[in-house]
């Protein structure tokens, strides 16, 4: 019943995501503009308050950082000095064909060194369509860069420069990251002269999903109120220990929020791009979206959480296993999947040939089927 209704009703806020990358095999992804600049806004920490010497120890956290609520927040200059050597500026040149001539279009972004032998992480949209890419290090040296690999699903690209013995970043597993933790960005904001720009904020949310104007959707992002402007894309979001917790990606200008790719996801992608030039992902031939309470009420569903199947390949493993448009996936191997932010990281952990026991809701019935994972033929 839900499948028939879905076929004729435009569901609110449903963004289609292909688990095998929603881009036709062999086609280049559509151009994506640089992130929209936020209004000028820099979150300000609480005014430092001098504490009696006897109180200082009790106001200090385990990692030595003063609690900003009960004590004085120390200067962030030490953190900036620690991370600045491995943060880079990325400039690009594209040759765009006009009506009467071809003209040069320049772009700017950020990145950070992930290995001492010249591997650099940035956003895929920063270097998309670039004919020439140049990386400038903290010491002022500039190098031409080549693209080692890129992943449009997570918007991550890896560049390589001919240099060695470079300082490099450490990526966090973000398992202990909490809403309210202090974070900082450093990058080539607005392509301003005079070195990178640092901004301070907090983790405003975890597990966020956003959709681009081109319809591409990203999941499990870190939301922050640390100012992210055009040119910050691809740069690091770090904690107060100078450890990378995310890769700055996009902004929501009207809400003054920025979003960063979670480092726990980025680490696997970065390693795959460096080693193989691509990221291999599983595929079962479906597209899906979050089941929201509003949709559940509209269709009088028996569940309020899960992943709605919005499209399915008739020659894919999911269809062969009995899944159809309108079914709601609620568990993978008995692990609940209340939304895509939970579903995708778990699903991407499977390999070709693995069998997944999928629990799903069909109308008023809860059913179970087994799907055999295939490889993704659309990976670049």
């Amino acid at each position: 019943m839900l499948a028939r209704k879905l076929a004729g009703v435009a569901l609110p806020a449903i963004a289609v995501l292909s688990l095998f990358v929603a881009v036709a095999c062999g086609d280049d992804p559509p151009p994506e503009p640089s992130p929209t600049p936020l209004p000028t806004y820099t979150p300000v920490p609480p005014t430092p308050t001098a504490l009696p010497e006897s109180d200082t120890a009790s106001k200090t956290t385990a990692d030595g950082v003063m609690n900003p609520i009960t004590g004085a927040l120390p200067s962030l200059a030490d953190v900036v000095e620690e991370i600045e050597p491995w943060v880079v500026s990325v400039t690009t040149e594209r040759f765009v064909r006009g009506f009467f001539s071809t003209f040069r279009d320049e772009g700017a972004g950020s990145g950070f060194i992930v290995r001492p032998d010249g591997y650099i992480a940035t956003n895929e949209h920063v270097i998309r369509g670039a004919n020439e890419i140049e990386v400038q290090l903290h010491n002022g040296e500039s190098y031409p860069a080549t693209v080692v690999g890129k992943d449009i699903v997570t918007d991550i690209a890896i560049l390589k420069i001919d240099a060695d013995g470079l300082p490099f970043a450490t990526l966090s597993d973000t398992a202990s990251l909490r809403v309210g933790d202090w974070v900082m960005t450093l990058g080539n904001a607005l392509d301003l002269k005079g070195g990178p720009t640092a901004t301070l904020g907090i983790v405003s949310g975890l597990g966020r999903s956003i959709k681009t104007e081109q319809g591409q959707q990203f999941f499990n992002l870190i939301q922050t109120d640390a100012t992210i402007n055009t040119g910050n894309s691809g740069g690091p979001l770090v904690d107060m220990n100078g450890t990378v917790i995310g890769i700055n990606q996009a902004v929501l200008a009207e809400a003054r929020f920025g979003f960063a790719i979670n480092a726990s996801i980025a680490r696997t992608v970065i390693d795959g791009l460096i080693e193989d030039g691509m990221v291999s992902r599983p595929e079962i031939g479906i597209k899906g979206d979050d089941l929201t309470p509003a949709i559940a009420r509209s269709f009088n569903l028996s569940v309020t959480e899960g992943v709605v199947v919005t499209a399915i390949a008739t020659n894919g493993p999911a269809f062969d296993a009995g899944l159809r448009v309108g079914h709601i996936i609620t568990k993978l191997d008995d692990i609940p999947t209340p939304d895509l932010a939970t579903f995708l990281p778990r699903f991407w952990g499977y390999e070709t040939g693995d069998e997944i026991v999928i629990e799903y809701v069909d109308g008023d019935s809860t059913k179970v089927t087994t799907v055999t994972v295939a490889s993704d033929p659309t990976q670049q």
Side-chain angles (χ1 to χ4, degrees):
M1 179 63 70
L2 177 57
R4 291 196 295 272
K5 291 185 179 181
L6 282 172
V9 177
L11 296 180
I14 287 188
V16 175
L17 172 77
S18 171
L19 299 181
F20 49 80
V21 185
V23 178
C25 183
D27 291 343
D28 289 329
E32 179 174 331
S34 298
T36 305
L38 287 170
T40 302
Y41 172 79
T42 303
V44 180
T47 302
T49 303
L51 294 174
E53 185 175 349
S54 59
D55 290 346
T56 302
S58 63
K59 308 293 186 181
T60 305
T61 61
D63 57 6
V65 176
M66 188 70 72
N67 186 314
I69 296 176
T70 59
L73 183 69
S75 169
L76 299 180
D78 291 341
V79 182
V80 173
E81 288 181 0
E82 180 180 344
I83 69 177
E84 202 170 21
W86 43 259
V87 177
V88 305
S89 296
V90 179
T91 55
T92 62
E93 282 191 359
R94 300 172 175 86
F95 298 105
V96 182
R97 180 173 296 178
F99 285 107
F100 304 106
S101 63
T102 298
F103 62 93
R104 186 178 65 180
D105 179 38
E106 296 182 345
S110 303
F112 57 95
I113 303 168
V114 293
R115 294 195 182 181
D117 50 347
Y119 287 96
I120 294 164
T122 187
N123 283 150
E124 187 274 335
H125 78 258
V126 168
I127 54 91
R128 185 177 300 169
N131 299 97
E132 296 180 6
I133 304 172
E134 186 174 276
V135 168
Q136 184 174 28
L137 305 183
H138 169 61
N139 60 11
E141 295 180 353
S142 294
Y143 296 85
T146 58
V147 178
V148 174
K150 54 186 178 179
D151 180 48
I152 62 173
V153 175
T154 54
D155 193 24
I156 294 175
I158 294 296
L159 308 177
K160 180 69 168 67
I161 61 174
D162 187 15
D164 209 344
L166 301 175
F168 60 95
T170 300
L171 273 69
S172 169
D173 62 9
T174 68
S176 60
L177 191 65
R178 300 181 301 167
V179 173
D181 283 347
W182 287 104
V183 292
M184 186 178 68
T185 72
L186 192 70
N188 187 23
L190 302 177
D191 196 23
L192 298 174
K193 293 183 179 181
T197 298
T199 60
L200 174 69
I202 63 169
V203 174
S204 304
L206 296 169
R208 300 302 199 206
S209 298
I210 62 171
K211 181 182 178 182
T212 69
E213 294 179 356
Q214 289 71 37
Q216 191 173 7
Q217 197 160 3
F218 299 102
F219 301 91
N220 200 23
L221 303 178
I222 298 170
Q223 177 183 321
T224 179
D225 66 351
T227 304
I228 298 176
N229 286 303
T230 301
N232 273 126
S233 291
L237 181 70
V238 303
D239 60 20
M240 295 299 96
N241 295 314
T243 303
V244 176
I245 63 167
I247 303 176
N248 299 325
Q249 182 186 38
V251 296
L252 185 61
E254 61 270 25
R256 294 179 175 177
F257 284 133
F259 298 91
I261 305 161
N262 196 306
S264 62
I265 292 176
R267 183 193 294 105
T268 301
V269 174
I270 289 171
D271 289 343
L273 292 177
I274 291 176
E275 301 302 326
D276 304 317
M278 60 174 288
V279 180
S280 178
R281 289 191 177 88
E283 178 261 326
I284 56 175
I286 67 171
K287 299 177 183 179
D289 193 28
D290 292 343
L291 173 65
T292 65
I295 295 173
R297 287 193 299 269
S298 297
F299 293 98
N300 196 27
L301 301 177
S302 60
V303 292
T304 58
E305 292 184 329
V307 175
V308 183
V309 178
T310 57
I312 190 165
T314 56
N315 60 346
F319 188 89
D320 293 342
L323 285 168
R324 297 293 183 268
V325 170
H327 288 170
I328 302 160
I329 299 173
T330 56
K331 292 182 180 180
L332 295 180
D333 284 336
D334 208 33
I335 304 297
T337 55
D339 49 34
L340 279 170
T342 306
F343 179 95
L344 287 176
R346 177 159 185 81
F347 177 77
W348 286 339
Y350 291 102
E351 298 181 355
T352 302
D354 287 347
E355 292 188 343
I356 310 174
V357 177
I358 295 180
E359 180 179 297
Y360 65 97
V361 174
D362 178 8
D364 294 330
S365 302
T366 299
K367 300 179 179 179
V368 176
T369 188
T370 300
V371 178
T372 302
V373 177
S375 60
D376 186 349
T378 68
Q379 290 299 321
Q380 299 177 350

